[in-house]
Amino acid sequence: MTDPNVSTKNIRSSRIKLILIMLVFLAPIIAAGLLTLSGWQPEGKGNGRPIVPQRSVNDVRIDVDGKPWVWRDSEPRLTLIALPGPGCADHCLQTLALMRNARIVLNANADRLRLLYLGTPPTAPGADGVMPSWKVGGDIADAFGEFRSTEPDSVSAVLIESNGTALSYYPAGFDPSGLRKDMQKVIR
């Protein structure tokens, strides 16, 4: 039997409130589904250029000290690859130092970023102070050739996620402070 104190108007009002509460939670899910089906992707505000389509570098062999570079390290760590142009000298070396400093600024999380230099190490004055922070390797198959700088005395960079996915590319002349900001966002 129905309670005489509860009117049809109160029941209808309660049902409408329940439906509105359900819509508040369902609306974002429906909107996200529609945006995904339409192919829309959010634009990030990163300073690097996204590598599209994303690719895995797990099968790329890089030799460091006579051993293959392990993309999937024992713990999750990203790899920042420096790709020097011809004749890496003063400007290139300065950029490498700023890239190294971007790692240092990560403080306690600095170990979560590995620095890998692919090419002939620079011999310019000051290289002895910068290059010990970098592992030097060789890209025998030239797998990163499309990202390598072609300008003399310059360097470009590629950021590789801990699972071996190439995330972003920083062309020659990139802003090292922008790279530092990206590192602080990605590595927490």
Side-chain angles (χ1 to χ4, degrees):
M1 225 176 208
T2 61
D3 186 357
N5 296 330
V6 177
S7 69
T8 308
K9 203 178 230 184
N10 287 341
I11 293 173
R12 184 172 291 147
S13 173
S14 295
R15 287 181 181 165
I16 289 174
K17 287 177 186 176
L18 177 64
I19 291 172
L20 288 174
I21 289 171
M22 289 176 19
L23 285 176
V24 165
F25 290 102
L26 286 176
I29 296 170
I30 292 169
L34 291 174
L35 288 172
T36 300
L37 289 175
S38 72
W40 179 82
Q41 290 293 319
E43 296 282 327
K45 292 188 179 186
N47 292 285
R49 296 180 184 170
I51 296 176
V52 179
Q54 284 188 343
R55 59 192 86 166
S56 173
V57 296
N58 285 323
D59 58 342
V60 174
R61 183 180 171 108
I62 301 294
D63 288 325
V64 176
D65 299 327
K67 295 182 232 166
W69 182 261
V70 179
W71 295 108
R72 291 182 185 245
D73 201 10
S74 57
E75 56 188 74
R77 296 196 293 175
L78 281 78
T79 303
L80 181 62
I81 301 175
L83 301 161
C88 183
D90 295 334
H91 186 266
C92 173
L93 192 59
Q94 180 183 13
T95 304
L96 289 171
L98 291 172
M99 292 166 71
R100 175 205 58 201
N101 293 349
R103 179 180 181 266
I104 293 169
V105 169
L106 295 172
N107 295 324
N109 291 324
D111 289 341
R112 295 194 51 217
L113 178 68
R114 303 180 296 171
L115 301 176
L116 177 62
Y117 179 94
L118 296 181
T120 305
T123 57
D128 294 342
V130 174
M131 292 312 292
S133 300
W134 292 86
K135 294 286 186 183
V136 178
D139 183 8
I140 300 165
D142 198 29
F144 293 99
E146 68 183 287
F147 302 111
R148 186 175 296 279
S149 175
T150 57
E151 300 171 25
D153 194 22
S154 65
V155 64
S156 58
V158 174
L159 181 63
I160 309 293
E161 195 172 345
S162 59
N163 67 2
T165 303
L167 287 180
S168 56
Y169 161 62
Y170 298 84
F174 69 91
D175 178 17
S177 66
L179 172 69
R180 176 186 48 79
K181 290 175 187 173
D182 287 354
M183 295 293 110
Q184 290 174 323
K185 289 179 195 173
V186 174
I187 301 174
R188 297 179 188 175

PDB file of all heavy atoms in Angstrom, residues 51 79-83 99 144 147-148 156-160 166-170:
ATOM      1  N   ILE A  51      56.289  12.476 -31.829  1.00  0.00           N
ATOM      2  CA  ILE A  51      56.678  11.560 -32.893  1.00  0.00           C
ATOM      3  C   ILE A  51      55.427  10.799 -33.301  1.00  0.00           C
ATOM      4  O   ILE A  51      54.880  10.031 -32.523  1.00  0.00           O
ATOM      5  CB  ILE A  51      57.802  10.614 -32.425  1.00  0.00           C
ATOM      6  CG1 ILE A  51      59.051  11.432 -32.121  1.00  0.00           C
ATOM      7  CG2 ILE A  51      58.079   9.550 -33.466  1.00  0.00           C
ATOM      8  CD1 ILE A  51      60.207  10.649 -31.573  1.00  0.00           C
ATOM      9  N   THR A  79      64.956   7.602 -21.489  1.00  0.00           N
ATOM     10  CA  THR A  79      66.253   7.835 -22.105  1.00  0.00           C
ATOM     11  C   THR A  79      66.155   9.081 -22.974  1.00  0.00           C
ATOM     12  O   THR A  79      65.262   9.178 -23.818  1.00  0.00           O
ATOM     13  CB  THR A  79      66.683   6.633 -22.980  1.00  0.00           C
ATOM     14  OG1 THR A  79      66.704   5.454 -22.170  1.00  0.00           O
ATOM     15  CG2 THR A  79      68.057   6.868 -23.578  1.00  0.00           C
ATOM     16  N   LEU A  80      67.068  10.017 -22.760  1.00  0.00           N
ATOM     17  CA  LEU A  80      67.163  11.200 -23.604  1.00  0.00           C
ATOM     18  C   LEU A  80      68.363  10.993 -24.514  1.00  0.00           C
ATOM     19  O   LEU A  80      69.493  10.857 -24.043  1.00  0.00           O
ATOM     20  CB  LEU A  80      67.333  12.465 -22.764  1.00  0.00           C
ATOM     21  CG  LEU A  80      67.428  13.769 -23.546  1.00  0.00           C
ATOM     22  CD1 LEU A  80      66.143  14.028 -24.338  1.00  0.00           C
ATOM     23  CD2 LEU A  80      67.709  14.929 -22.603  1.00  0.00           C
ATOM     24  N   ILE A  81      68.099  10.931 -25.812  1.00  0.00           N
ATOM     25  CA  ILE A  81      69.153  10.680 -26.791  1.00  0.00           C
ATOM     26  C   ILE A  81      69.578  11.991 -27.420  1.00  0.00           C
ATOM     27  O   ILE A  81      68.743  12.746 -27.924  1.00  0.00           O
ATOM     28  CB  ILE A  81      68.666   9.717 -27.889  1.00  0.00           C
ATOM     29  CG1 ILE A  81      68.237   8.395 -27.276  1.00  0.00           C
ATOM     30  CG2 ILE A  81      69.742   9.510 -28.940  1.00  0.00           C
ATOM     31  CD1 ILE A  81      67.630   7.438 -28.274  1.00  0.00           C
ATOM     32  N   ALA A  82      70.872  12.268 -27.389  1.00  0.00           N
ATOM     33  CA  ALA A  82      71.448  13.434 -28.065  1.00  0.00           C
ATOM     34  C   ALA A  82      71.999  12.979 -29.408  1.00  0.00           C
ATOM     35  O   ALA A  82      72.760  12.017 -29.487  1.00  0.00           O
ATOM     36  CB  ALA A  82      72.548  14.052 -27.217  1.00  0.00           C
ATOM     37  N   LEU A  83      71.599  13.689 -30.471  1.00  0.00           N
ATOM     38  CA  LEU A  83      72.020  13.362 -31.828  1.00  0.00           C
ATOM     39  C   LEU A  83      72.753  14.565 -32.417  1.00  0.00           C
ATOM     40  O   LEU A  83      72.118  15.490 -32.932  1.00  0.00           O
ATOM     41  CB  LEU A  83      70.799  12.999 -32.677  1.00  0.00           C
ATOM     42  CG  LEU A  83      69.993  11.811 -32.149  1.00  0.00           C
ATOM     43  CD1 LEU A  83      68.596  11.800 -32.729  1.00  0.00           C
ATOM     44  CD2 LEU A  83      70.718  10.527 -32.458  1.00  0.00           C
ATOM     45  N   MET A  99      71.305  20.215 -21.422  1.00  0.00           N
ATOM     46  CA  MET A  99      70.493  18.991 -21.359  1.00  0.00           C
ATOM     47  C   MET A  99      70.852  18.202 -20.103  1.00  0.00           C
ATOM     48  O   MET A  99      69.971  17.672 -19.424  1.00  0.00           O
ATOM     49  CB  MET A  99      70.713  18.157 -22.621  1.00  0.00           C
ATOM     50  CG  MET A  99      70.155  18.786 -23.878  1.00  0.00           C
ATOM     51  SD  MET A  99      70.738  18.011 -25.406  1.00  0.00           S
ATOM     52  CE  MET A  99      69.888  16.456 -25.357  1.00  0.00           C
ATOM     53  N   PHE A 144      68.125   6.374 -35.895  1.00  0.00           N
ATOM     54  CA  PHE A 144      67.694   7.706 -35.487  1.00  0.00           C
ATOM     55  C   PHE A 144      68.139   8.774 -36.488  1.00  0.00           C
ATOM     56  O   PHE A 144      68.120   9.961 -36.188  1.00  0.00           O
ATOM     57  CB  PHE A 144      68.244   8.029 -34.090  1.00  0.00           C
ATOM     58  CG  PHE A 144      67.637   7.172 -33.015  1.00  0.00           C
ATOM     59  CD1 PHE A 144      68.304   6.052 -32.540  1.00  0.00           C
ATOM     60  CD2 PHE A 144      66.393   7.465 -32.495  1.00  0.00           C
ATOM     61  CE1 PHE A 144      67.748   5.253 -31.569  1.00  0.00           C
ATOM     62  CE2 PHE A 144      65.819   6.673 -31.513  1.00  0.00           C
ATOM     63  CZ  PHE A 144      66.495   5.563 -31.052  1.00  0.00           C
ATOM     64  N   PHE A 147      66.129  11.949 -37.255  1.00  0.00           N
ATOM     65  CA  PHE A 147      66.052  12.949 -36.197  1.00  0.00           C
ATOM     66  C   PHE A 147      67.383  13.674 -35.979  1.00  0.00           C
ATOM     67  O   PHE A 147      67.432  14.680 -35.288  1.00  0.00           O
ATOM     68  CB  PHE A 147      65.628  12.300 -34.878  1.00  0.00           C
ATOM     69  CG  PHE A 147      64.305  11.590 -34.967  1.00  0.00           C
ATOM     70  CD1 PHE A 147      64.244  10.216 -34.890  1.00  0.00           C
ATOM     71  CD2 PHE A 147      63.133  12.293 -35.139  1.00  0.00           C
ATOM     72  CE1 PHE A 147      63.033   9.550 -34.975  1.00  0.00           C
ATOM     73  CE2 PHE A 147      61.917  11.653 -35.230  1.00  0.00           C
ATOM     74  CZ  PHE A 147      61.859  10.269 -35.149  1.00  0.00           C
ATOM     75  N   ARG A 148      68.451  13.152 -36.556  1.00  0.00           N
ATOM     76  CA  ARG A 148      69.785  13.730 -36.350  1.00  0.00           C
ATOM     77  C   ARG A 148      69.877  15.095 -37.020  1.00  0.00           C
ATOM     78  O   ARG A 148      69.416  15.306 -38.121  1.00  0.00           O
ATOM     79  CB  ARG A 148      70.861  12.804 -36.898  1.00  0.00           C
ATOM     80  CG  ARG A 148      72.271  13.280 -36.587  1.00  0.00           C
ATOM     81  CD  ARG A 148      73.316  12.287 -37.037  1.00  0.00           C
ATOM     82  NE  ARG A 148      73.238  11.020 -36.327  1.00  0.00           N
ATOM     83  CZ  ARG A 148      73.755  10.810 -35.121  1.00  0.00           C
ATOM     84  NH1 ARG A 148      74.376  11.769 -34.484  1.00  0.00           N
ATOM     85  NH2 ARG A 148      73.657   9.624 -34.557  1.00  0.00           N
ATOM     86  N   SER A 156      70.313  17.649 -31.812  1.00  0.00           N
ATOM     87  CA  SER A 156      68.879  17.432 -31.650  1.00  0.00           C
ATOM     88  C   SER A 156      68.718  16.331 -30.605  1.00  0.00           C
ATOM     89  O   SER A 156      69.702  15.715 -30.190  1.00  0.00           O
ATOM     90  CB  SER A 156      68.234  17.039 -32.987  1.00  0.00           C
ATOM     91  OG  SER A 156      68.842  15.881 -33.506  1.00  0.00           O
ATOM     92  N   ALA A 157      67.491  16.075 -30.184  1.00  0.00           N
ATOM     93  CA  ALA A 157      67.275  15.086 -29.129  1.00  0.00           C
ATOM     94  C   ALA A 157      65.972  14.331 -29.360  1.00  0.00           C
ATOM     95  O   ALA A 157      65.040  14.839 -29.989  1.00  0.00           O
ATOM     96  CB  ALA A 157      67.244  15.770 -27.770  1.00  0.00           C
ATOM     97  N   VAL A 158      65.944  13.113 -28.838  1.00  0.00           N
ATOM     98  CA  VAL A 158      64.739  12.278 -28.864  1.00  0.00           C
ATOM     99  C   VAL A 158      64.546  11.733 -27.455  1.00  0.00           C
ATOM    100  O   VAL A 158      65.491  11.266 -26.829  1.00  0.00           O
ATOM    101  CB  VAL A 158      64.877  11.113 -29.876  1.00  0.00           C
ATOM    102  CG1 VAL A 158      63.682  10.183 -29.789  1.00  0.00           C
ATOM    103  CG2 VAL A 158      65.031  11.639 -31.288  1.00  0.00           C
ATOM    104  N   LEU A 159      63.316  11.800 -26.966  1.00  0.00           N
ATOM    105  CA  LEU A 159      62.982  11.278 -25.645  1.00  0.00           C
ATOM    106  C   LEU A 159      62.292   9.934 -25.815  1.00  0.00           C
ATOM    107  O   LEU A 159      61.297   9.819 -26.536  1.00  0.00           O
ATOM    108  CB  LEU A 159      62.070  12.249 -24.889  1.00  0.00           C
ATOM    109  CG  LEU A 159      61.672  11.837 -23.483  1.00  0.00           C
ATOM    110  CD1 LEU A 159      62.902  11.748 -22.581  1.00  0.00           C
ATOM    111  CD2 LEU A 159      60.673  12.824 -22.901  1.00  0.00           C
ATOM    112  N   ILE A 160      62.846   8.913 -25.152  1.00  0.00           N
ATOM    113  CA  ILE A 160      62.324   7.548 -25.238  1.00  0.00           C
ATOM    114  C   ILE A 160      61.737   7.160 -23.883  1.00  0.00           C
ATOM    115  O   ILE A 160      62.395   7.290 -22.856  1.00  0.00           O
ATOM    116  CB  ILE A 160      63.441   6.545 -25.607  1.00  0.00           C
ATOM    117  CG1 ILE A 160      64.210   6.997 -26.847  1.00  0.00           C
ATOM    118  CG2 ILE A 160      62.880   5.142 -25.764  1.00  0.00           C
ATOM    119  CD1 ILE A 160      63.425   6.993 -28.115  1.00  0.00           C
ATOM    120  N   ALA A 166      59.272   5.831 -28.577  1.00  0.00           N
ATOM    121  CA  ALA A 166      59.793   7.168 -28.880  1.00  0.00           C
ATOM    122  C   ALA A 166      58.662   8.176 -28.686  1.00  0.00           C
ATOM    123  O   ALA A 166      57.646   8.103 -29.363  1.00  0.00           O
ATOM    124  CB  ALA A 166      60.322   7.214 -30.305  1.00  0.00           C
ATOM    125  N   LEU A 167      58.843   9.100 -27.724  1.00  0.00           N
ATOM    126  CA  LEU A 167      57.783  10.040 -27.372  1.00  0.00           C
ATOM    127  C   LEU A 167      57.844  11.350 -28.137  1.00  0.00           C
ATOM    128  O   LEU A 167      56.870  11.765 -28.751  1.00  0.00           O
ATOM    129  CB  LEU A 167      57.856  10.378 -25.873  1.00  0.00           C
ATOM    130  CG  LEU A 167      57.436   9.343 -24.883  1.00  0.00           C
ATOM    131  CD1 LEU A 167      57.593   9.865 -23.473  1.00  0.00           C
ATOM    132  CD2 LEU A 167      56.005   8.948 -25.142  1.00  0.00           C
ATOM    133  N   SER A 168      58.979  12.039 -28.046  1.00  0.00           N
ATOM    134  CA  SER A 168      59.057  13.359 -28.664  1.00  0.00           C
ATOM    135  C   SER A 168      60.451  13.631 -29.204  1.00  0.00           C
ATOM    136  O   SER A 168      61.432  13.004 -28.813  1.00  0.00           O
ATOM    137  CB  SER A 168      58.633  14.449 -27.672  1.00  0.00           C
ATOM    138  OG  SER A 168      59.407  14.383 -26.504  1.00  0.00           O
ATOM    139  N   TYR A 169      60.473  14.612 -30.079  1.00  0.00           N
ATOM    140  CA  TYR A 169      61.677  14.981 -30.820  1.00  0.00           C
ATOM    141  C   TYR A 169      61.930  16.473 -30.611  1.00  0.00           C
ATOM    142  O   TYR A 169      61.009  17.274 -30.665  1.00  0.00           O
ATOM    143  CB  TYR A 169      61.440  14.646 -32.289  1.00  0.00           C
ATOM    144  CG  TYR A 169      62.338  15.329 -33.274  1.00  0.00           C
ATOM    145  CD1 TYR A 169      63.708  15.120 -33.259  1.00  0.00           C
ATOM    146  CD2 TYR A 169      61.818  16.164 -34.252  1.00  0.00           C
ATOM    147  CE1 TYR A 169      64.533  15.735 -34.180  1.00  0.00           C
ATOM    148  CE2 TYR A 169      62.632  16.773 -35.178  1.00  0.00           C
ATOM    149  CZ  TYR A 169      63.990  16.560 -35.138  1.00  0.00           C
ATOM    150  OH  TYR A 169      64.801  17.162 -36.041  1.00  0.00           O
ATOM    151  N   TYR A 170      63.177  16.799 -30.359  1.00  0.00           N
ATOM    152  CA  TYR A 170      63.598  18.184 -30.168  1.00  0.00           C
ATOM    153  C   TYR A 170      64.597  18.517 -31.278  1.00  0.00           C
ATOM    154  O   TYR A 170      65.736  18.064 -31.238  1.00  0.00           O
ATOM    155  CB  TYR A 170      64.237  18.374 -28.787  1.00  0.00           C
ATOM    156  CG  TYR A 170      63.274  18.088 -27.660  1.00  0.00           C
ATOM    157  CD1 TYR A 170      63.076  16.790 -27.204  1.00  0.00           C
ATOM    158  CD2 TYR A 170      62.544  19.105 -27.074  1.00  0.00           C
ATOM    159  CE1 TYR A 170      62.174  16.524 -26.186  1.00  0.00           C
ATOM    160  CE2 TYR A 170      61.640  18.850 -26.055  1.00  0.00           C
ATOM    161  CZ  TYR A 170      61.463  17.553 -25.627  1.00  0.00           C
ATOM    162  OH  TYR A 170      60.563  17.287 -24.619  1.00  0.00           O
TER     163      TYR A 170
END
